[in-house]
Amino acid sequence: NSVSSTGATLTVNSPAEIITAPLLSYDKCEGEELVLSVVATGTPAPTYQWQKGGFDLVGETGSSLTLSDLNPSDAGTYSVTASNSCGDDTYGSIVVSVNSKPVIVTSPVSSTKCVGATQTFTVSATNAGGYQWYKDNVILSDGASGGGSTIAGATSSSLTISNLCATCNPGVYHVEVMGSGTCSSNTVSSASATLVVNSPADITTAPLLSYTKCEGEELILSVV
């Protein structure tokens, strides 16, 4: 005489395991976006927690971490932990570097010079990777400059013009400062500087060199 019990179900869960992960190093530019994603398996389905510098990032509990509009404070070491009731799996250290945009400290200054003199315009900037000077640019509403004609070979922090010409060198100048490394597209424009080139006195019309007049007459000598 036998009787059977009710059935008992055995479920065997597997621990969380990260099977797809991001790179371990990123070199990004200020203002860009970076998305870090992982894929984890396991039963029950894993939960996630992202960390920076060993500290939990509040609210970052999805399989992806999005860093929008990157700035230097986002640089650091990131990691992520996938967890379920059977165990955890942590992936790190993901090193994120953020290259800052250049910042202009001192813009070129307007100047008035004489024909034949030398003029040097200078810009001072931080995080600079390169320079390009322009002539006869458009002055923007915020005081910066844009457009104009590229000055060939003028790719340093200073622009020197020798033996100034009254007809060819006067104008408005500015420089665009480019970011460093892979961030060369991060550019900022300096304020404009106006160059005035004055010419020396030159008598173009003069009186005769000899006059014979009578006592009591009037003589007017004029030059232009």
XYZ file of all heavy atoms in Angstrom, residues 130-134 150-156 174-178:
134
model
N 47.052 73.910 -31.425
C 47.449 74.515 -32.687
C 46.775 75.863 -32.868
O 45.843 76.219 -32.127
N 47.272 76.614 -33.859
C 46.769 77.965 -34.105
C 46.612 78.194 -35.603
O 47.331 77.607 -36.404
C 47.732 79.020 -33.545
C 48.092 78.846 -32.085
C 49.141 78.008 -31.701
C 47.397 79.523 -31.091
C 49.478 77.851 -30.366
C 47.727 79.371 -29.755
C 48.769 78.537 -29.399
O 49.108 78.383 -28.081
N 45.675 79.081 -35.964
C 45.564 79.545 -37.340
C 45.061 80.984 -37.320
O 44.014 81.283 -36.770
C 44.601 78.684 -38.169
C 44.427 79.150 -39.606
C 45.741 79.179 -40.377
O 46.364 78.141 -40.582
N 46.177 80.365 -40.787
N 45.871 81.869 -37.953
C 45.533 83.290 -38.013
C 44.744 83.603 -39.272
O 44.942 82.990 -40.318
C 46.791 84.139 -37.955
C 47.466 84.132 -36.605
C 48.376 83.222 -36.147
C 47.259 85.066 -35.545
N 48.761 83.524 -34.872
C 48.092 84.658 -34.476
C 46.472 86.199 -35.389
C 48.151 85.353 -33.272
C 46.527 86.904 -34.186
C 47.357 86.481 -33.150
N 43.840 84.606 -39.128
C 42.993 85.041 -40.241
C 43.015 86.561 -40.345
O 43.248 87.264 -39.361
C 41.546 84.594 -40.031
C 41.352 83.096 -40.043
C 41.575 82.331 -38.897
C 40.944 82.439 -41.193
C 41.403 80.958 -38.905
C 40.765 81.063 -41.217
C 40.989 80.334 -40.067
O 40.820 78.980 -40.088
N 42.490 82.861 -44.627
C 43.564 82.176 -43.916
C 44.906 82.792 -44.287
O 45.191 83.030 -45.458
C 43.575 80.683 -44.277
O 42.317 80.118 -43.941
C 44.667 79.955 -43.528
N 45.739 83.046 -43.292
C 47.087 83.559 -43.532
C 48.028 82.362 -43.587
O 48.228 81.665 -42.593
C 47.518 84.540 -42.427
C 46.513 85.702 -42.339
C 48.922 85.064 -42.691
C 46.787 86.661 -41.199
N 48.565 82.112 -44.764
C 49.407 80.934 -44.975
C 50.609 80.947 -44.037
O 51.295 81.971 -43.897
C 49.873 80.874 -46.419
N 50.852 79.814 -43.398
C 52.026 79.660 -42.534
C 51.886 80.283 -41.172
O 52.791 80.154 -40.341
N 50.759 80.972 -40.900
C 50.581 81.643 -39.612
C 49.917 80.672 -38.637
O 48.709 80.732 -38.396
C 49.752 82.901 -39.786
N 50.721 79.767 -38.082
C 50.181 78.684 -37.260
C 50.849 78.604 -35.886
O 50.945 77.526 -35.296
C 50.343 77.340 -37.992
O 51.731 77.158 -38.342
C 49.512 77.307 -39.266
N 51.309 79.720 -35.385
C 51.881 79.744 -34.035
C 51.088 80.728 -33.184
O 50.152 81.373 -33.656
C 53.363 80.132 -34.075
O 53.508 81.478 -34.488
N 42.357 87.954 -36.465
C 42.020 87.128 -35.308
C 42.696 85.771 -35.486
O 43.209 85.441 -36.554
C 40.506 86.970 -35.131
C 39.906 85.880 -35.960
N 39.637 86.021 -37.300
C 39.519 84.609 -35.643
C 39.107 84.905 -37.772
N 39.027 84.021 -36.795
N 42.688 84.974 -34.426
C 43.306 83.648 -34.456
C 42.319 82.629 -33.905
O 41.556 82.925 -32.983
C 44.625 83.623 -33.643
C 44.374 83.985 -32.189
C 45.316 82.274 -33.763
N 42.312 81.459 -34.499
C 41.535 80.345 -33.971
C 42.497 79.382 -33.289
O 43.504 78.977 -33.873
C 40.760 79.645 -35.086
C 39.614 80.487 -35.627
C 38.687 79.700 -36.528
O 38.948 78.489 -36.731
O 37.720 80.287 -37.035
N 42.173 79.032 -32.051
C 43.004 78.133 -31.255
C 42.344 76.756 -31.251
O 41.169 76.622 -30.893
C 43.174 78.653 -29.825
C 44.095 77.732 -29.030
C 43.720 80.074 -29.834
N 43.093 75.749 -31.672
C 42.571 74.387 -31.764
C 42.936 73.571 -30.526
O 43.945 73.836 -29.877
C 43.125 73.706 -33.016
C 42.620 74.326 -34.308
S 43.616 73.860 -35.750
C 44.976 75.019 -35.620
